């Protein structure tokens, strides 16, 4: 998304440089490469563009970028694309588009109403007078459109911002783990009257994160997209996709659940009659179990899929029997697949220390190979595999068992605004970064002009911080558990 700026005024921006251990400090302008293009013509002058570290202690990794009003690109009208990257890591790039015009409403000028928050006048606090650092403040013009966003400093102060249109402007403040709040600013003939009080955010102590809160954030980040059936559908898709995105990167404890599989012993009672070129199998001297339609029958060295249970003594195969007619022959009938939870995302450990008689996981293809080599016998199942969200077992189970296992679930799709979200509100920043990225995939950029590449980079950086924090909390055990789980699930063919 392009940022409009009035020519002849200083333009400010910032970029973040991080590595696996956090913000990178101590860089100077010589460590960066700057590239500028104008209306598609590259190799433009970079004079007047300065890069300076903000605060190595309080804002580690943040570098301010300023464009001199007289000697840089903002001195002239034009459509400029600026790319800045650390020369040592050229694949990670800061990207910004600046449209400089003589009458831009987005940048302060002498005739604009200019506002800077102050104590008891727009400062962002926690409600008991403590200033909040890093809160985002979105500015909506009198028409309700988000024009820009700024962050609060260590004193809860933000600005200056230019408010060039007369009327009532709205400042919406938000911070992770706090409920958002807003305040009004009145502009008349270039004079701004502030809210006259701090913007107080209330900490979220209890209560679940709701779908409506995420949809509102998404709409705001998507440049206040118009309320319509299609737009609302896309907003819901963005949030659901973001939830799946964050769910797959780590074994989050709040997504853990317990599942069970009830295996059934193979059925061998009675004998069967079957006629050549017919799919009908008749049982003599016993009654077909209720589950038989979910299984297979083994006759004359071949397993055949059962299509339906027609009565206590009759079943229908999924294909006609091609061999000669057989009467009063032995059979083995068993259930070979069992349903797993519909919301299963990733398998975990079996809690009762065995799975199908100490069975080991294998691939579905290997399970079918073992099945093809099977010799009729009574033995416990010793292999299992995940296939089509079911667990397939082999050989046929010799008894009934209830198996309990841990699994990680997929977040439930959100339908109504009051739906609780399967996510920890204290990790809201990571979810917001995933939503930002999904917005870029659907609509090109966010309200702050962030494109997909930058949004994905921000998500990866936040994910790395979350993982690093979890590893510090859990010591050396968590990385080992994560590595083992990844290997375990890869073998099963599950993410």
């Amino acid at each position: 998304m392009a940022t409009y700026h009035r020519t002849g005024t200083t333009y400010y921006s910032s970029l973040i440089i991080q590595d696996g251990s956090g913000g990178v400090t101590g860089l100077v302008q010589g460590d960066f490469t700057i590239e500028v293009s104008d209306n598609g013509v590259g190799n433009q002058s970079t004079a007047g563009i300065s890069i300076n570290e903000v605060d190595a202690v309080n804002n580690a990794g943040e570098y301010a970028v300023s464009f001199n009003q007289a000697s840089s690109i903002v001195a002239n009208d034009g459509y400029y694309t600026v790319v800045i990257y650390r020369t040592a890591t050229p694949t990670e790039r800061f990207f910004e588009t600046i449209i400089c015009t003589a009458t831009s409403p987005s940048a302060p000028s002498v005739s604009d109403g200019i506002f800077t928050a102050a104590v008891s006048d727009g400062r962002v606090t926690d409600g008991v007078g403590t200033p909040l650092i890093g809160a985002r403040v979105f500015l909506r013009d009198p028409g309700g459109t988000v024009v820009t966003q700024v962050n609060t400093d260590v004193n809860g102060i933000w600005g200056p911002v230019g408010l060039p249109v007369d009327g009532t402007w709205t400042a919406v403040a938000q911070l992770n783990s706090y409920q958002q709040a807003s305040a009004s600013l009145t502009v008349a003939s270039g004079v701004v009257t502030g809210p006259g009080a701090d913007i107080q955010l209330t900490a979220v102590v209890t209560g679940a994160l709701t779908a409506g809160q995420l949809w509102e954030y998404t709409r705001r980040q998507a440049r206040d997209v118009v309320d319509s059936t299609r737009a609302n559908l896309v907003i819901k898709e963005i949030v659901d996709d973001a939830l799946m995105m964050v769910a797959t990167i780590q074994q989050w404890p709040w997504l853990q659940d317990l599942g069970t599989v009830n295996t059934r012993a193979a059925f061998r009672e009675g004998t069967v009659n079957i006629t050549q070129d017919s799919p009908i199998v008749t049982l003599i001297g016993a009654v077909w179990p209720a589950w038989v339609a979910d299984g297979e029958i083994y006759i004359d060295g071949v397993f055949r899929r059962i299509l339906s249970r027609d009565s206590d003594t009759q079943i229908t195969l999924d294909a006609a029997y091609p061999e000669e007619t057989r009467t009063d022959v032995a059979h083995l009938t068993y259930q070979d697949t069992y349903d797993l939870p519909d919301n299963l995302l990733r398998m975990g450990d079996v809690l009762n220390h065995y799975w199908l008689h100490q069975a080991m996981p294998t691939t579905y293809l290997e399970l079918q190979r073992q099945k093809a080599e099977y010799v009729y016998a009574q033995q416990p199942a010793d292999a299992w595999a995940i296939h089509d969200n079911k667990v397939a077992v082999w050989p046929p189970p010799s008894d009934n068992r209830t198996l309990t296992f841990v699994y990680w679930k997929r977040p439930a799709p959100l339908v109504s605004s009051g739906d609780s979200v399967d996510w920890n509100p204290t990790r809201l920043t990571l979810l917001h970064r995933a939503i930002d990225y999904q917005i870029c995939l659907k609509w090109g950029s966010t309200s702050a002009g962030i494109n997909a590449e930058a949004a994905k980079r921000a998500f990866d950086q936040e994910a790395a911080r979350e993982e690093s924090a979890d590893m510090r909390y859990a010591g050396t055990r968590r990385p080992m558990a994560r590595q083992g789980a990844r290997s375990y699930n890869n073998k099963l063919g599950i993410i």
Side-chain angles (χ1 to χ4, degrees), residues 19-50:
D19 58 18
S21 59
V24 177
T25 60
L27 301 181
V28 297
Q29 179 147 346
D31 294 317
F32 295 92
T33 297
I34 305 173
E35 298 174 352
V36 177
S37 65
D38 180 12
N39 291 314
V41 180
N43 198 28
Q44 298 295 310
S45 172
T46 62
I49 303 177
S50 301

Side-chain angles (χ1 to χ4, degrees), residues 157-407:
I157 303 301
W158 50 275
V161 292
L163 310 178
V165 179
D166 283 358
T168 300
W169 289 65
T170 303
V172 180
Q174 68 170 39
L175 183 63
N176 188 18
S177 300
Y178 289 84
Q179 296 178 359
Q180 72 177 32
S182 62
S184 297
L185 299 90
T186 303
V187 182
S189 301
V191 177
V192 182
T193 303
D198 291 339
I199 302 176
Q200 299 181 357
L201 303 186
T202 303
V204 178
V205 179
T206 59
L209 181 65
T210 66
Q213 292 170 327
L214 295 183
W215 294 343
E216 171 61 23
Y217 173 82
T218 304
R219 185 180 302 278
R220 185 166 59 246
Q221 288 294 83
R223 303 181 295 280
D224 280 339
V225 64
V226 64
D227 183 3
S228 68
T229 300
R230 181 184 179 280
N232 294 342
L233 179 62
V234 175
I235 285 174
K236 291 182 178 182
E237 290 175 350
I238 285 172
V239 172
D240 286 342
D241 289 348
L243 282 167
M244 180 61 74
M245 183 177 180
V246 295
T248 58
I249 65 170
Q250 194 165 317
Q251 296 175 2
W252 304 108
W254 56 86
L255 293 180
Q256 279 186 355
D257 210 339
L258 295 179
T260 59
V261 168
N262 298 308
T263 64
R264 299 183 175 95
F267 178 72
R268 297 179 171 86
E269 298 177 18
T271 58
V272 297
N273 296 340
I274 187 166
T275 303
Q276 185 178 26
D277 296 330
S278 171
I280 303 300
V281 180
T282 302
L283 180 65
I284 308 298
V287 173
W288 289 120
W291 51 259
V292 71
D294 296 321
E296 293 186 326
I297 186 169
Y298 182 76
I299 306 174
D300 292 338
V302 177
F303 283 92
R304 305 182 189 280
R305 175 65 57 184
I306 298 170
L307 180 63
S308 63
R309 182 186 189 276
D310 307 322
S311 68
D312 287 348
T313 58
Q314 178 179 301
I315 60 174
T316 299
L317 305 180
D318 68 348
Y321 181 72
E323 309 298 333
E324 295 182 358
T325 298
R326 299 297 307 276
T327 302
D328 199 28
V329 295
H331 72 97
L332 181 149
T333 303
Y334 83 109
Q335 185 173 348
D336 63 329
T337 60
Y338 298 86
D339 289 337
L340 291 170
D342 291 338
N343 63 348
L344 183 142
L345 174 66
R346 181 185 291 114
M347 284 291 292
D349 295 330
V350 178
L351 297 184
N352 40 5
H353 305 298
Y354 63 85
W355 180 291
L356 305 172
H357 309 264
Q358 301 292 346
M360 294 298 294
T362 185
T363 64
Y364 187 68
L365 181 62
E366 174 62 19
L367 187 143
Q368 296 303 313
R369 185 193 66 77
Q370 294 181 27
K371 186 175 173 181
E373 298 174 355
Y374 177 70
V375 176
Y376 184 88
Q378 181 172 345
Q379 56 184 305
D382 60 10
W384 60 282
I386 302 297
H387 177 67
D388 195 23
N389 206 45
K390 297 177 183 289
V391 57
V393 301
W394 183 256
S398 57
D399 60 3
N400 299 333
R401 297 218 178 181
T402 297
L403 307 168
T404 304
F405 59 92
V406 174
Y407 74 97

